[in-house]
């Protein structure tokens, strides 16, 4: 019989991910395929035959003899297992190992994570996979607290299921490394190697000297400050490509020419998927924002001075807490926000003396011009509003600077500098008179915390924010005594968090302790290092602003540390307001700015869910500078905010940011992927696989024990322990996963969400670690991956099982794949071929296995050798029928692939026409290169035009 597909090799030689190949007489499963310039296709594979099982290897088409298994030569074998569980497991395993194709836009794993089902958290993945952009690239700009980490985890899991998440790099601020790593593991089963200061030492132990750590570890999390260090890691980036890069707090990437911007540009060019996250992505300048968007898609914006929301909708999603879909989703899982209470602290006599000096000698009269000296006067005022110790530090620093300038003859106005030194000395004398007992804000803070219940032996926790490190250290020294804590109790009950002299490990440990219920830490005194990305809400719902930033955005970011998704209690906020009625009637205390901003932030939150609507600015530093300049000019806070909104240069961009792009007010359902299933659940598949792989004795071989609550305890084999090495050594050993002295390895798993959630809560309630003892098994968990690999070798090389089912004629289950030019699945179809011998027909596999009763209730009757021989003779016809079916639908497939690509190609062509003719030489070269790269990308995603790759999975026989 003529074979119309031969070996069914496509443009990638049949080496599409999921294919089985034979190299050096061993069988391998293809995981990734990439073209090379000289050596043909580069194939990353994992061994599945006995000698190479679980071994990762790389082969090159022109250097290795790589044989693709021919579907026509598939050998049918009887399945004698109970209820054909071996055959069902094999088909299910192949489906699980087959990456979802390019045309599949539905989510496959949305309900399989340790999190509440929140539709709004699925929207970013839905948008990224929609093919409106040829790559999964997205800026997630949800406001503080909505769960951006969870949204990132969902998207990464979906990319892994599509074979586009094998190599992942996550870049975060250093103080949230462990928090981010723990969230991805506990909720999604995605392990990341942490390359912080401790991780660097681990790398040195685990990999050969000089080896690229990013080549050794496939999924990595690292701080942006570590990664931008050229001497440490940056030189490795040029030799590394990624499937997905995540950059958290990405608003720090905007400034062109900065180290962080250069890092982002280097990563952008070496990854397929790029996920940026920031609650404050815009600094008010449309050009800067365009710089961020162009990291995602250089062809998105034609005119950086005039672009519209529609230009960015395929790359940008932003919702607030008042977005309809968000509001409805969060009912019952995020406590309503409590009040923001101003707490008055009337200045003492010695504090009043400092205010009088500031008013008389430093703070300009209304309408004064802006100069360095007048700006510095407000620096002094803000320092004093923090504390007298912060003011003394500021005075001393300025005195040293001016004195040095005079001594080195670098002063531009010697007389003015000498007058300033004298005024600084007078101000210092007044500030030095203030003792701890003279601090009205310290007394008010102690009173408030005592009233809330912060006391030795008490359970309540509070976080206290201050902008000044000097104030933080002073509070940590004097506050415990005011609250009745002994020195020993203070050591455990109070902690300071700042970035000035604390390592990333020290910062992460403090944050972890504050989230543990049984840890004695009760008061966290922190600077604004904790205002971005840090979760402080697990055990805390009380926040006090000891001093107030002159920025609505910063106040909102601080409040968002305890007012966020998962907060069980109404979060409450207090702001200490230092007041002093001066003789001339002027107001220079916290009523000047701070009290007004607290009120406006609360109003903005209730109205639109974000402070940006009030300020018209998107960076705290810019907001504060603008406000100070307006105060110097004699404007009030209200006038400054109003004028800023009027002058906001973004126009349409501002409307976009506040317009909650992607909020889906109609509550449209998120599409779900349609995938054949031979088991009722992943748990059913897992249990059945263990029984079959370990010959019905997993309890004995793995020392496996099941508890009534859903816990599954087992001894992880050495090959599984190897797969878990990405997780922190401390966690693995603390939880006994790797064993220890006089202790066998042990891990506890579960599919029961209530148990996993309870274990996670217990971890947060413990004294030692926020890592839970029970690991929730998701579909991308390494344990599931390990077990599926073992299932795939239950059958011999190139064999397919025959199962007895409720069918009236032979049925052949066939998988067909069209690859794109990059060698990745563009189209995958799971087919059931019937009507043989004769004119065969094809039906959807999902439909047929359901009607045929392929499942746990199968009768499992044996199929005779005669019937199997008859089925074997029909294999070529089955493959031909499947190939003909896919060829007949080729135009339909290509339209599904080419439609979105063509739309993007038109947008790319229009961008070139509108941009290139007007670009200067350097910009023209850069833009031309970008256009060429984008066009090449689009071409690579088109179907290859080659015959489909076919694989016979199983045959069903209904005869007796």
């Amino acid at each position: 019989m003529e074979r119309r597909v031969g070996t069914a090799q496509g443009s990638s030689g049949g080496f599409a991910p999921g294919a089985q190949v034979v190299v050096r007489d061993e069988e391998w499963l293809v995981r990734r395929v990439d073209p090379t310039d000289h050596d043909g296709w580069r194939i990353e594979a994992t061994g599945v035959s006995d000698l190479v099982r679980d071994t990762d290897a790389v082969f090159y088409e022109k250097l290795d003899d790589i044989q693709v298994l021919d579907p026509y030569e598939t050998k049918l074998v009887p399945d004698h297992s109970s209820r054909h569980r071996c055959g069902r497991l094999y088909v299910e395993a192949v489906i699980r190992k087959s990456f979802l194709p390019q045309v599949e836009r539905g989510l496959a794993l949305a309900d399989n994570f340790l999190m509440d089902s929140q539709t709004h958290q699925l929207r970013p993945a839905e948008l990224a996979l929609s093919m409106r952009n040829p790559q999964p690239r997205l800026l997630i700009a949800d406001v503080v607290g909505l769960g951006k980490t969870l949204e990132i985890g969902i998207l990464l899991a979906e990319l892994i299921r599509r074979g586009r998440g094998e190599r992942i790099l996550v870049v975060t601020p250093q103080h949230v490394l462990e928090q981010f790593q723990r969230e991805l593991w506990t909720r999604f089963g995605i392990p990341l190697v942490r390359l912080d200061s401790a991780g660097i030492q681990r790398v040195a132990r685990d990999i050969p000297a000089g080896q690229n750590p990013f080549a050794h570890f496939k999924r990595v999390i690292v701080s942006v400050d570590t990664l931008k260090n050229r001497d440490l890691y940056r030189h490795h980036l040029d030799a590394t490509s990624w499937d997905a890069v995540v950059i958290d707090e990405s608003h720090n990437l905007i400034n062109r020419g900065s180290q962080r911007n250069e890092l982002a540009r280097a990563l952008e060019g070496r990854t397929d998927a790029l996920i940026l996250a920031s609650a404050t992505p815009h600094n008010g300048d449309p050009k800067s924002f365009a710089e961020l968007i162009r990291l995602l898609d250089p062809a998105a914006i034609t005119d950086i001075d005039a672009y519209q929301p529609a230009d960015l909708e395929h790359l940008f999603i932003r919702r607030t807490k008042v977005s309809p879909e968000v509001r409805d989703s969060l009912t019952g899982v995020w406590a309503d926000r409590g009040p923001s209470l101003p707490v008055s602290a009337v200045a003492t006599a010695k504090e009043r003396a400092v205010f009088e000096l500031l008013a008389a000698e430093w703070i300009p009269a209304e309408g004064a011009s802006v100069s360095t000296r007048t700006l510095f006067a407000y620096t002094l005022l803000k320092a004093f509003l923090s504390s007298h110790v912060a003011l003394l530090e500021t005075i001393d620093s300025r005195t040293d600077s001016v004195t040095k300038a005079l001594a080195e003859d670098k002063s531009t106005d010697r007389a003015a500098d000498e007058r300033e030194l004298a005024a600084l000395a007078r101000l210092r004398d007044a500030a030095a008179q203030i003792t701890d007992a003279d601090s009205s804000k310290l007394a008010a803070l102690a009173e408030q915390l005592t009233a809330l219940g912060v006391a030795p032996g008490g359970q309540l926790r509070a976080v206290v924010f201050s902008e000044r490190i000097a104030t933080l250290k002073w509070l940590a020294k004097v506050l415990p005594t005011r609250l009745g804590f002994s020195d020993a109790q203070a050591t455990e009950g109070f902690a300071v968090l700042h970035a000035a002299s604390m390592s990333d490990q020290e910062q992460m440990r403090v944050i972890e302790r504050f989230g543990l219920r049984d840890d004695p830490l009760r008061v966290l005194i922190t600077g604004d290092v904790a205002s971005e990305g840090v979760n402080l809400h697990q055990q805390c719902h009380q926040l006090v602003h000891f001093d107030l930033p002159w920025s609505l955005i910063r106040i909102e970011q601080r409040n968002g540390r305890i007012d966020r998704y998962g907060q069980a209690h109404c979060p409450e906020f207090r702001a200490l307001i230092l007041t002093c009625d001066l003789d001339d009637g002027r107001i220079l205390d916290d009523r000047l700015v701070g009290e007004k901003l607290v009120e406006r932030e609360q109003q903005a939150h209730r109205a639109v869910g974000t402070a940006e609507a009030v300020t018209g600015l998107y960076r705290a530093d810019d907001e504060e500078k603008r406000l100070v300049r307006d105060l110097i000019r004699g404007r009030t806070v209200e006038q400054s905010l109003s004028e800023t909104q009027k002058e906001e240069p973004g126009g349409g961009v501002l409307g976009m940011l506040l317009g909650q792009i992607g909020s889906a007010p109609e509550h449209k359902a998120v599409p779900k992927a349609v995938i054949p299933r031979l088991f009722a659940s992943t748990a059913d598949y897992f249990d059945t696989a263990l029984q079959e792989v370990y010959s019905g004795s997993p309890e004995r071989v793995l020392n496996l024990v099941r508890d009534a609550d859903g816990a599954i305890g087992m001894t992880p084999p050495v090959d599984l322990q190897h797969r878990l090495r990405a997780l922190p050594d401390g966690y693995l050993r603390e939880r006994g996963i790797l064993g220890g002295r006089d202790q066998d390895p042990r891990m506890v798993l579960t599919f029961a969400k209530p148990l996993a959630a309870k274990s996670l809560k217990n971890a947060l309630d413990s004294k030692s670690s926020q890592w839970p003892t029970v690991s929730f098994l998701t579909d991308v968990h390494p344990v599931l991956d390990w077990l599926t690999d073992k299932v795939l070798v239950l059958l011999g090389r190139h064999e397919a099982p025959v199962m007895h089912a409720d069918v009236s004629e032979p049925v052949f289950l066939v998988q067909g794949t069209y690859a794109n030019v990059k060698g990745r699945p563009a189209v995958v179809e799971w087919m059931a071929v019937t009507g043989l011998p004769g004119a065969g027909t094809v039906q959807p596999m999902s439909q047929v296995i359901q009607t045929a009763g392929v499942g746990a209730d199968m009768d499992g009757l044996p199929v005779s050798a005669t019937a199997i021989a008859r089925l074997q003779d029909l294999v070529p016809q089955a493959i031909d029928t499947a190939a003909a079916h896919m060829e007949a639908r080729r135009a339909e497939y290509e339209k599904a692939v080419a439609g979105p690509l063509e739309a993007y190609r038109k947008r790319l062509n229009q961008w070139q026409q509108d941009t290139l003719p007007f670009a200067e030489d350097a910009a023209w070269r850069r833009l031309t290169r970008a256009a060429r790269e984008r066009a090449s990308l689009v071409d690579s995603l088109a179907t290859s035009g080659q015959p489909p790759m076919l694989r016979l999975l199983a045959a069903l026989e209904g005869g007796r």
Side-chain angles (χ1 to χ4, degrees):
M1 178 179 294
E2 180 184 357
R3 296 183 178 181
R4 284 178 282 179
V5 294
T7 57
Q9 293 183 357
S11 65
S12 58
F15 308 136
Q20 288 177 296
V21 297
V22 177
V23 186
R24 302 168 192 171
D25 201 36
E26 297 294 338
E27 190 174 347
W28 305 80
L29 182 72
V30 177
R31 289 190 176 275
R32 182 185 178 102
V33 180
D34 293 295
T36 66
D37 293 334
H38 305 292
D39 298 321
W41 291 93
R42 179 184 184 274
I43 294 102
E44 293 184 19
T46 299
V48 292
S49 54
D50 288 340
L51 188 61
V52 295
R53 187 170 301 167
D54 294 322
T55 301
D56 292 332
V58 175
F59 304 110
Y60 292 88
E61 181 187 18
K62 293 185 178 181
L63 303 179
D64 298 282
D65 180 16
I66 306 173
Q67 302 173 24
V68 181
L69 300 184
D70 186 343
Y72 288 97
E73 298 176 0
T74 304
K75 180 183 178 182
L76 298 180
V77 295
D79 180 7
H80 298 300
S81 62
S82 174
R83 299 188 185 277
H84 297 315
R85 69 185 185 191
C86 180
R88 290 187 292 118
L89 284 167
Y90 177 76
V91 175
E92 177 81 10
V94 171
I95 292 171
R96 285 175 173 269
K97 281 293 184 178
S98 299
F99 297 141
L100 296 186
Q102 185 176 328
V103 296
E104 179 56 79
R105 289 101 189 248
L107 304 190
L109 309 172
D111 300 322
N112 188 232
F113 306 124
L114 186 58
M115 54 182 288
D116 297 318
S117 179
Q118 303 293 337
T119 301
H120 78 273
Q121 292 175 340
L122 305 179
R123 295 293 179 199
E126 177 190 19
L127 177 58
L129 299 173
S130 67
M131 284 188 67
R132 294 174 64 186
N133 192 38
Q135 294 171 296
R137 296 198 162 198
L138 189 64
L139 169 55
I140 303 175
D142 288 345
V143 298
V144 174
L146 288 194
K148 288 186 286 296
T149 304
L150 299 180
E151 293 167 359
I152 291 169
I154 293 168
L155 177 50
L156 288 178
E158 290 290 339
L159 291 175
I160 291 170
R161 186 63 182 85
R162 287 159 170 77
R164 305 178 77 170
E166 282 293 296
R167 299 186 52 76
I168 296 173
L169 173 66
V170 177
V171 185
T172 74
Q174 63 182 9
H175 55 278
V176 297
L177 278 174
E178 181 165 316
Q179 174 183 295
F180 205 110
Q181 181 192 32
R182 187 171 56 247
E183 286 284 285
L184 287 189
W185 171 247
T186 59
R187 299 189 184 279
F188 302 98
I190 301 175
L192 300 173
V193 173
R194 193 171 76 222
L195 296 183
D196 53 11
S197 56
I200 293 170
Q201 298 176 6
R202 179 180 175 184
V203 168
R205 297 196 308 266
D206 287 357
I207 67 175
Q211 183 174 338
N212 183 346
F214 300 130
H216 190 78
F217 299 110
K218 291 185 176 181
R219 295 172 183 168
V220 172
I221 184 168
V222 63
S223 78
V224 64
D225 291 319
T226 298
L227 197 59
K228 73 183 184 183
N229 185 330
R230 290 186 175 276
D231 295 333
L232 189 60
Y233 281 147
R234 280 294 304 277
H235 62 289
H236 289 305
L237 291 180
D238 292 337
T240 309
S241 294
W242 304 94
D243 291 318
V245 169
V246 177
I247 305 179
D248 196 19
E249 304 299 345
S250 56
H251 52 274
N252 295 314
L253 309 176
I254 287 178
N255 296 328
R256 179 180 279 273
S258 68
Q259 282 186 311
R260 295 187 179 199
N261 183 265
E262 291 178 0
L263 170 62
R265 288 185 166 279
L267 291 174
E268 179 278 324
R270 306 202 64 82
T271 184
D272 177 29
L274 179 60
I275 307 164
L276 307 180
S278 174
T280 55
H282 200 296
N283 65 358
D285 179 3
K287 293 183 180 180
S288 295
F289 188 63
E291 178 75 13
L292 196 61
I293 292 298
R294 282 179 167 175
L295 289 174
L296 301 170
D297 180 3
I301 295 175
T302 299
D303 186 350
I304 61 175
D305 293 309
Y307 50 92
Q308 299 301 317
D311 299 329
L312 314 178
E313 286 181 343
H314 62 299
L315 300 166
F316 183 90
I317 187 167
R318 177 179 177 81
R319 285 79 53 84
T320 75
K321 194 176 179 181
V322 300
S323 303
E325 183 174 75
V326 175
R327 184 184 60 241
D328 294 346
S329 293
L330 294 179
T331 301
V333 295
W334 187 348
D336 290 336
R337 176 168 165 164
S340 291
L341 303 174
V343 177
S344 179
V346 180
T348 60
K350 292 180 180 179
E351 289 174 328
R352 179 185 178 85
V354 173
F355 271 121
E356 292 287 1
L357 266 179
L358 287 169
E361 300 188 3
W362 290 96
I363 305 300
E366 292 184 4
S369 61
V370 179
S371 69
T372 302
R373 294 182 195 276
T374 53
L375 287 173
F376 177 67
Y378 279 88
T379 300
L380 290 171
L381 174 61
K382 282 204 68 190
F384 183 53
L385 292 176
S386 178
S387 69
H388 62 286
V389 293
L391 176 60
L392 288 170
E393 181 185 65
T394 302
I395 291 172
D396 290 344
S397 177
R398 178 74 167 193
T399 299
D400 290 345
S401 177
V402 176
T403 300
K404 183 178 179 181
L406 289 171
E408 296 178 354
D409 201 25
K410 293 181 179 179
S411 173
T412 58
D413 188 338
R414 178 170 289 273
D417 284 346
E418 289 174 346
R419 288 194 299 272
E420 181 176 338
L421 285 176
L424 285 169
R426 290 189 292 273
L427 186 62
R428 195 189 193 291
D429 288 342
Q433 298 301 312
I434 300 174
T435 66
D436 298 341
D438 297 311
S439 173
S440 58
K441 290 178 78 170
L442 175 60
L445 176 62
E447 181 181 350
Q448 289 294 312
L449 293 179
T450 299
L452 289 172
V454 177
Q459 295 302 308
L460 188 128
R461 297 194 182 194
V463 55
V464 178
F465 270 97
S466 172
E467 287 192 300
R468 300 299 182 113
I469 293 177
T471 301
L472 297 176
K473 293 180 177 179
W474 169 67
L475 286 175
K477 179 181 178 181
V478 301
L479 184 59
T481 302
R482 288 293 188 102
L483 297 176
F485 286 76
S486 67
D487 289 345
Q489 291 170 328
T491 300
E492 293 188 329
F494 291 75
V496 175
L497 180 66
H498 61 81
S501 58
M502 296 181 70
S503 69
D504 50 355
Q505 289 291 306
E506 291 171 327
Q507 293 177 49
M508 285 188 288
R509 181 54 186 157
V510 168
I511 293 168
E512 180 182 45
R513 286 187 59 207
F514 195 66
L516 298 172
R517 188 193 65 177
D518 291 339
D519 191 283
L521 177 57
R522 288 294 173 263
V523 179
L524 176 62
I525 305 170
T526 181
D528 287 323
V529 65
S531 68
E532 291 187 353
V534 177
N535 293 333
L536 300 178
H537 67 292
Q538 291 100 330
Q539 308 295 338
C540 176
H541 64 281
Q542 297 288 347
L543 184 149
V544 181
H545 301 278
F546 186 78
D547 56 42
L548 284 159
W550 285 7
S551 160
L552 279 170
I553 294 172
R554 189 71 76 201
I555 293 173
E556 179 182 66
Q557 288 174 332
R558 286 182 176 184
N559 290 348
R561 297 311 99 210
I562 66 168
D563 182 20
R564 57 196 303 107
Y565 179 74
Q567 174 60 266
H569 304 279
C570 292
E572 297 183 2
F573 314 94
R574 287 165 173 77
L576 301 183
I577 306 298
L578 183 61
T579 65
C580 180
D581 295 326
L582 299 177
D583 292 339
D584 61 5
R586 296 167 62 195
I587 294 177
L588 292 181
D589 53 39
D590 278 316
R591 293 172 296 179
L592 176 68
V593 176
E595 187 176 40
K596 292 182 175 65
L597 292 186
V598 168
E599 181 180 354
R600 292 298 292 273
E601 189 272 343
Q602 185 169 224
Q603 292 172 351
H605 174 85
R606 290 173 177 170
V608 294
T610 173
E612 296 164 356
V614 176
T615 66
L617 293 174
Y618 303 89
R619 275 194 170 180
D621 292 343
D622 294 341
E623 186 185 356
E624 181 173 329
K625 290 175 184 176
R626 175 63 180 265
L627 182 55
V628 170
R629 284 182 169 85
D630 284 344
L631 290 174
I632 292 172
R633 294 186 178 103
R635 293 175 178 171
T636 64
V637 171
E638 291 82 356
Q639 290 171 333
S640 177
L641 294 176
S642 177
E643 288 300 314
T644 303
Q645 285 180 289
K646 291 178 182 178
E647 298 172 13
E648 198 280 321
V653 174
L654 175 60
M656 176 195 67
L657 284 172
L658 301 183
Q660 302 173 17
I661 295 298
S663 59
E666 298 98 357
H667 292 207
K668 294 179 180 178
V670 176
K672 301 296 179 66
V674 179
I675 305 171
R677 286 282 181 259
L678 285 79
F679 291 83
S681 65
T682 300
D684 184 23
Y685 166 74
F686 176 82
D687 292 341
T688 308
L690 283 178
Q691 292 296 321
E692 188 65 26
V693 168
Y694 291 99
S695 303
S697 302
E699 292 80 8
R700 176 179 57 81
V701 179
L702 300 177
N703 192 22
L704 188 142
V705 178
R706 298 178 183 274
D707 293 337
D709 60 0
I712 306 169
M714 60 180 279
T715 298
V718 174
D719 56 343
L720 176 55
Q721 293 180 43
H722 177 75
R723 298 191 185 210
L724 298 172
R725 280 288 185 179
L727 294 161
D729 279 342
Y731 160 66
L732 294 173
R733 298 196 182 281
E734 175 187 318
R735 296 311 186 200
I737 296 172
L738 298 183
R741 184 177 300 174
D742 300 325
Q743 180 186 15
D744 293 330
R746 194 72 178 163
M747 70 184 308
V748 183
L749 310 163
T750 190
F751 289 98
K753 284 189 179 182
L755 174 62
K758 180 181 178 181
S759 177
L760 183 56
K761 184 178 184 302
N762 288 342
L764 300 177
D765 291 347
S766 72
K767 293 182 179 180
S768 58
S769 173
Q770 292 189 359
W771 294 85
T773 57
V774 180
S775 182
F776 184 67
L777 281 164
T778 71
D779 278 311
V780 296
H781 195 287
V783 171
L784 259 296
D785 194 55
W786 160 80
L787 188 58
T788 297
D789 284 345
K790 290 189 171 300
V791 168
L792 286 174
V793 298
L794 290 174
L795 274 70
R797 180 182 300 176
H798 211 16
E799 293 180 344
V802 179
M803 298 178 280
H804 188 273
D806 186 13
V807 295
S808 59
E809 59 180 336
V811 177
F812 294 87
L813 305 182
V814 182
Q815 179 191 62
T817 302
Y818 275 118
N820 59 29
V821 178
K822 291 175 71 71
R824 296 177 181 174
V827 176
V828 174
E829 184 160 348
W830 288 283
M831 299 170 280
V833 179
T834 60
L836 302 178
T841 60
V842 172
Q843 301 176 58
M845 186 186 296
S846 294
Q847 175 183 320
V848 171
I849 60 178
Q850 182 177 3
T851 58
V854 179
D857 295 329
M858 296 182 76
D859 55 33
L861 293 175
V863 179
S864 68
T866 301
I868 291 176
R870 179 171 52 84
L871 290 171
Q872 188 72 60
D873 291 340
L874 295 176
V875 166
Q877 294 182 53
I879 299 301
D880 281 342
T881 301
H885 169 79
M886 293 199 72
E887 289 290 349
R889 296 190 62 190
R890 179 186 287 274
E892 182 182 341
Y893 295 144
E894 290 184 347
K895 182 179 179 181
V897 174
L901 296 179
E902 185 58 31
Y904 184 81
R905 195 189 302 276
K906 289 179 179 179
R907 193 161 71 241
L908 179 62
N909 291 338
Q910 187 63 50
W911 172 75
Q912 289 180 267
Q913 294 174 20
D914 295 342
T915 305
L916 293 180
F918 307 102
E920 298 179 356
D921 288 348
W924 185 89
R925 288 191 295 272
R926 177 171 57 84
L927 295 174
T928 300
R929 182 174 63 253
R932 184 170 59 250
E933 291 172 351
R934 299 304 287 181
S936 176
L937 170 66
V938 174
D939 291 341
S940 72
L941 296 177
T943 52
S944 64
Q946 297 294 320
M949 184 185 76
L950 299 172
R951 182 173 183 179
L952 178 58
L953 305 184
L956 306 180
E957 168 62 34
R960 296 274 177 173

